[in-house]
């Protein structure tokens, strides 16, 4: 009996992944590979047939090289900034005894949730000629001027501030799981706190840092809003804005040129993924089962207060200022009036909440889209992540690289590739997917799956394979192994990934703006619409409402996570 | 296990074959059937692609449906650039899905016309519309008049100017803002018109550059910067300024004495429309007196003679229009943009 049970377990273990792998392979080919192939094919197409004409033309233009140079600087700079900020904040929250951690965490997420055009606008006002920074500097001696945000440095700063929550989110649970015994051991052996950080904490936290860093990198590559707002006045182009310029050139070769540049951008994304693989090689696994929420470093009150004030100053200027600027705009009767008592009105909120049926439909649509994508992604993404971690073959890595490209491509390009692929998946056959809500589901899935995979990979990397082996030798089936061992252990990290998918899908704009059809308006589209029609006050009011909804949702997830942890550890899984 | 694999690959091959075979028979037959029916009655689905703000497009469609309740109009709305990209992509992928198209400016339509994507239709309503705004081959017709005007922040500028040249004066140095022709269709049109006008030509843009004009992505950003007082002057389409002014923003619009470039948001029927009758009825409605009054109600300057402009905007008879030969603009748009780019991008 015992013997046969072990056998079934082993057989399932050996065969079921390969069987599921085929399904996974086909899905990935269909959904991820074909749009990319169509795009690559397009970049080689010219009027006379296949040729390298567009590459020749694009690579011979000095503008392209300047653009590539700018992109490299901006993406690298903002990724480094995001990693430093994300790691630092995560380390402080996870390790030290600073107070009000939950509140801090909520503030850290804000920049990620506020639409980037609002963040950018708030920053330019903050640093503007009449802004608070200028006033402060004027009162000081010397001829100090606020920083010019319409510059490479400005773009790097705003992007870094917008994307560091990605690193924070993927690092925090990793840090909490690092066994404190290891760090103590390092200390006891005579290492300083820094040595222990470098030799123990960093290598163990690497899965989180690399995942978060990769996502920040990809997000910076794709970002259009920030370089468009801050780059156009300074005549700074990056790949995403340059591609947009090419596509709206409308000429006969516009798409082909855009596709050519997109292929170049895809190469950037793949290089980023490669660097991440190299980093992960050096990461270590460990056996730990729970997050450790107790502070490990007790700071003296004086030190703590200094660090806390520094952190709060940073968070208030990067999170609260944009938020307040948005909220205050939504409360003024008309854009441009002073923020004073007689100019305050709630009429924009009234309009959004009670008169505008479009807004309510959009909230419903986006919620539906985001939750279904999150749920589907949760399963498929975690499964791909599992294959990727346990069988890191070249093939599995390639799949991961492929899945990361749609997240890095500018939304417009991905949407165009979707039209090419899904209008007539087979020549002459239009199944009606394009033009219905289904194309949105497919596009969102394609774009955001990588977020789930990164979240799941991060938590799976931390679980040593011996845990699974132990389950196997004790005769557990695949199902039992997942149900009893893996899921409880990886859940916090997996949920972080799901949280990212949900948030980004909820406010997505660029892909939707080319693919939506009547009745499938999303939140992003409605905001974009108000903005384009000149109703800034409506768009900010709507954004504020969405932000409040997200905060409420965030709180709910937090509570569920807490309940789950209590349940898991109550059952005596510990020890 | 091997059997499972085999069954599985069989299922896949089978599905693939089914997909292939169905593509030959059903859909084409169904399409022909509907086409025949729709030639006679005004009913069925009509796909309307537009760059008008959502609410305005909805009002137009609602009014049309009041007259033709059997037509089910589907709206796709986005910026002009996105709408055209979508149409181009659909065209490359197989078939344009739009039946009727309404986007910013005539130059864009010239482009589609040259690619043979439009259907010629001379609506009877065009007799009441100024000739310059109607394509002579009947491919497209202007639906309203949108002028690019001078916007000023009324808190910072008390002495209202009356000429475009205020933008090149010392007082406007570093204080003016305009949308980038590389991103905004209206701005690209303006660039073509101004540089082909003797009074301005490229010198005007050169002076703007010397005067440190700020370039932004779109018209919306210009309106915000001027309303917020970040800049004093802006070059921007009239209707969003009129709206902000009506809401109470400290902003005003001026039609400079030299004249204003206008775009006309033309409407056209796509060549491969599957519902020609409804598409024609829709175009007729937009150009009719009723449709034009609706446009004025929403807040646009109507294009049809004899329909009054909404408050705060000038009617087409009252404004001086800066014009240029359309075919020139169409031919030269790319080189204009490049020239602009090398002028402003010297860093």
């Amino acid at each position: 009996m015992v013997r046969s049970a072990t056998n079934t377990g082993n057989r399932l273990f050996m065969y079921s992944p390969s069987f599921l792998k085929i399904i996974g392979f086909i899905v990935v080919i269909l959904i991820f590979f074909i749009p990319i192939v169509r795009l690559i094919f397009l970049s080689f197409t010219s009027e006379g047939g296949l040729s390298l004409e567009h590459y020749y033309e694009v690579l011979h233009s000095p503008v392209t090289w300047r653009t590539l140079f700018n992109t490299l600087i901006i993406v690298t700079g903002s990724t480094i900034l995001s990693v430093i900020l994300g790691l630092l904040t995560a380390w402080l929250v996870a390790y030290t005894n600073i107070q009000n951690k939950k509140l801090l965490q909520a503030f850290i997420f804000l920049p990620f949730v506020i639409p980037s055009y609002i963040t950018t606008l708030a920053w330019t006002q903050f640093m503007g000629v009449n802004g608070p920074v200028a006033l402060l500097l004027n009162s000081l001696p010397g001829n100090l001027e606020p920083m010019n945000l319409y510059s490479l440095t400005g773009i790097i700063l705003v992007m870094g501030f917008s994307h560091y929550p990605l690193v924070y989110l993927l690092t925090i649970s990793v840090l909490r799981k690092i066994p404190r015994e290891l760090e103590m051991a390092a200390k006891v052996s005579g290492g300083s706190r820094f040595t222990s950080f470098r030799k123990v904490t960093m290598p163990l936290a690497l899965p989180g840092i690399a995942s978060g860093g990769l996502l920040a990198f990809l997000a910076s590559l794709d970002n259009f809003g920030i370089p468009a707002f801050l780059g156009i006045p300074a005549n700074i182009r990056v790949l995403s804005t340059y591609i947009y310029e090419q596509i709206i050139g409308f000429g006969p070769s516009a798409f082909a040129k855009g596709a050519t540049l997109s292929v170049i951008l895809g190469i950037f994304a793949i290089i980023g993924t490669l660097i991440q693989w190299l980093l992960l090689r050096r990461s270590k696994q460990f056996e730990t089962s729970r997050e450790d929420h107790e502070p490990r470093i007790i700071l003296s009150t004086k030190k703590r207060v200094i660090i806390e004030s520094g952190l709060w100053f940073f968070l208030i200027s990067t999170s609260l200022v944009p938020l307040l600027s948005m909220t205050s705009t939504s409360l003024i009767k008309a854009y441009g009036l002073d923020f004073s008592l007689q100019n305050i009105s709630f009429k924009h909120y009234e309009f959004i909440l009670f008169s505008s049926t479009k807004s309510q439909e959009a909230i419903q649509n986006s919620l539906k889209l985001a939750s279904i994508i999150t749920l589907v992604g949760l399963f498929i993404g975690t499964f791909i992540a599992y294959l990727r971690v346990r069988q890191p073959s070249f093939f599995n890595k390639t799949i991961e690289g492929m899945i990361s490209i749609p997240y890095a491509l500018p939304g417009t390009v991905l949407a165009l590739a979707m039209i090419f692929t899904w209008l007539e998946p087979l020549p002459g056959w239009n199944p009606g997917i394009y033009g219905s809500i289904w194309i949105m589901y497919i596009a969102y899935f394609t774009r955001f799956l990588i977020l789930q995979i990164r979240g799941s990979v991060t938590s799976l990397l931390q679980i040593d394979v011996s845990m699974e082996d132990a389950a196997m030798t004790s005769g557990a089936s695949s199902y039992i192994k997942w149900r009893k061992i893996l899921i409880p252990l990886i859940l916090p990290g997996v949920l972080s990934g799901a949280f990212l998918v949900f948030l980004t899908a909820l406010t997505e704009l660029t892909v939707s703006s080319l693919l939506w059809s009547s009745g499938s308006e999303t939140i992003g589209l409605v905001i974009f619409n108000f903005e384009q029609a000149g109703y800034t006050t409506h768009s900010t009011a709507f954004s504020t409402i969405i932000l409040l909804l997200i905060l409420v949702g965030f709180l709910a997830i937090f509570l569920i996570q807490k309940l789950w942890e209590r349940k898991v550890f109550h059952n005596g899984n510990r020890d | 296990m091997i059997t499972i694999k085999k069954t599985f690959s069989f299922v896949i091959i089978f599905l693939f074959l089914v997909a292939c075979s169905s593509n030959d028979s059903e859909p084409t037959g169904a399409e022909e059937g509907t086409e025949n029916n729709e030639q006679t009655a005004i009913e069925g689905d009509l796909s309307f692609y537009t760059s008008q703000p959502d609410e305005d497009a909805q009002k137009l469609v609602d009014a049309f449906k009041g007259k033709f309740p059997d037509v089910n109009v589907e709206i796709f709305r986005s910026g002009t650039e996105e709408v055209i990209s979508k149409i181009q992509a659909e065209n490359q992928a197989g078939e344009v899905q739009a039946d009727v198209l309404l986007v910013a400016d005539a130059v864009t339509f010239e482009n589609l016309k040259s690619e043979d994507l439009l259907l010629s239709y001379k609506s009877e309503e065009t007799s009441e519309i100024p000739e310059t705004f109607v394509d002579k081959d009947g491919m497209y017709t202007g639906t309203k008049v949108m002028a690019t005007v001078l916007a000023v922040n009324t808190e910072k500028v008390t002495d209202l100017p009356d000429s475009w040249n205020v933008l090149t004066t010392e007082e406007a140095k570093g204080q003016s803002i305009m949308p980038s022709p590389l991103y905004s269709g209206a701005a690209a049109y303006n660039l073509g018109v101004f540089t082909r006008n003797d009074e301005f030509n490229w010198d005007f843009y050169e002076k703007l550059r010397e005067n440190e004009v700020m370039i932004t992505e779109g018209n919306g950003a210009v309106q915000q910067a001027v309303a917020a007082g970040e800049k004093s002057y802006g070059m921007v389409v009239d209707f969003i300024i009129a709206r902000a002014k009506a809401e109470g923003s400290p902003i005003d619009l001026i039609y400079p004495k030299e004249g204003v470039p206008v775009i006309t948001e033309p409407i056209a029927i796509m060549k491969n429309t599957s519902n020609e009758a409804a598409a024609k009825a829709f175009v007729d409605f937009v150009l009719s007196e009723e449709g034009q009054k609706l446009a004025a109600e929403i807040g646009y300057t109507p294009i049809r003679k004899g329909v009054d402009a909404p408050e705060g905007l000038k009617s087409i008879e009252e404004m001086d229009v800066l014009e240029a030969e359309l075919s020139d603009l169409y031919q030269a748009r790319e080189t204009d943009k490049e020239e602009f780019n090398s002028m402003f991008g010297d860093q």
Side-chain angles (χ1 to χ4, degrees), chain B residues 289-323:
Chain B
E289 197 171 345
E290 193 185 344
Q292 289 290 305
K293 278 189 174 151
L294 180 72
E297 236 170 72
I298 296 173
Y300 299 101
T301 307
I303 203 163
R304 194 183 166 102
K305 294 172 199 158
V307 183
D308 289 335
E311 212 184 311
L313 294 173
K314 282 191 181 180
S315 75
I316 184 71
E317 284 109 356
E318 291 166 307
M319 60 174 95
D320 298 311
V321 178
L322 278 176
E323 271 182 299

Side-chain angles (χ1 to χ4, degrees), chain B residues 23-87:
Chain B
N23 101 57
D24 298 326
S25 51
E26 300 166 56
T28 36
E31 252 167 47
E32 271 164 28
T34 46
E35 248 170 46
N36 288 339
N37 289 340
E38 279 160 9
Q39 291 301 333
T40 45
I42 295 174
E43 59 180 20
D45 292 335
L46 188 74
S47 178
F48 176 46
Y49 284 20
T50 181
S51 64
Q52 289 177 290
D54 207 32
E55 265 192 298
D56 307 350
Q58 193 61 52
K59 280 181 191 156
L60 178 66
V61 166
D62 288 346
F64 173 73
K65 276 172 118 172
K67 284 190 88 172
F68 300 96
D70 296 332
V71 182
N72 172 34
V73 186
E74 298 255 325
I75 305 174
F76 169 76
R77 186 234 101 84
S78 203
T80 298
E81 291 74 19
E82 280 84 7
V83 176
I84 297 299
S85 300
K86 186 175 167 100
I87 285 185

Side-chain angles (χ1 to χ4, degrees), chain A residues 376-546:
Chain A
V376 175
L378 195 68
F379 289 105
I380 297 183
T382 308
F383 183 70
I384 295 180
Y386 179 77
L387 286 183
R388 162 76 184 79
V389 172
R390 287 291 176 255
Q391 299 158 5
S393 61
F394 177 74
F395 173 75
N396 286 341
K397 285 180 180 173
T398 317
I399 286 192
E400 192 200 0
M402 226 150 68
I403 293 175
S404 70
I405 292 178
Y407 184 65
L409 285 179
T412 322
V413 174
L414 180 67
L416 290 174
M418 287 282 139
I419 298 178
F420 291 137
T421 312
W422 293 100
L423 180 65
E424 288 186 355
L426 297 166
W429 176 56
N430 179 353
I433 293 173
Y434 174 71
S436 73
I437 186 106
W438 289 106
I439 188 77
M440 305 270 280
Y441 281 104
I442 295 176
Y444 277 29
F445 180 73
T446 316
R447 191 159 176 77
F448 299 130
L449 188 64
I450 188 68
L451 294 172
Q452 181 64 58
I453 292 183
R454 292 321 311 171
S456 302
V457 162
T458 308
S459 41
L460 278 165
L461 271 178
Q462 290 184 284
I463 295 171
D464 198 276
V465 75
S466 62
M467 302 277 267
E468 284 181 53
D469 292 344
M472 285 303 170
T473 37
S474 320
S477 68
S478 223
Y479 169 75
I480 298 286
K481 179 186 81 188
W482 276 92
R483 165 83 182 72
K484 292 272 184 195
I485 313 258
L486 289 176
I487 293 180
L489 287 179
I490 62 175
L491 199 73
V494 169
L495 282 184
S496 299
F499 181 59
L500 282 183
V501 174
F502 186 81
L503 279 187
T504 24
L506 196 68
T507 51
E508 205 289 330
L509 169 63
T510 44
V511 174
S512 328
S513 72
L514 274 182
L515 295 179
W516 74 279
S517 47
S518 288
S520 63
E521 289 89 343
T522 61
I523 291 172
L525 280 171
V526 169
I527 295 176
F528 174 63
N529 242 313
F530 284 141
E531 198 62 20
Q532 281 216 328
Y535 296 119
T536 314
T537 42
H538 287 168
S539 73
T540 47
F542 195 37
S543 299
T544 311
I545 292 173
I546 297 305

Side-chain angles (χ1 to χ4, degrees), chain A residues 248-267:
Chain A
I248 64 161
F250 299 157
S253 67
F255 281 170
K257 260 182 152 177
T260 311
L261 289 166
S262 304
V263 170
I264 297 174
L265 188 134
I267 294 172

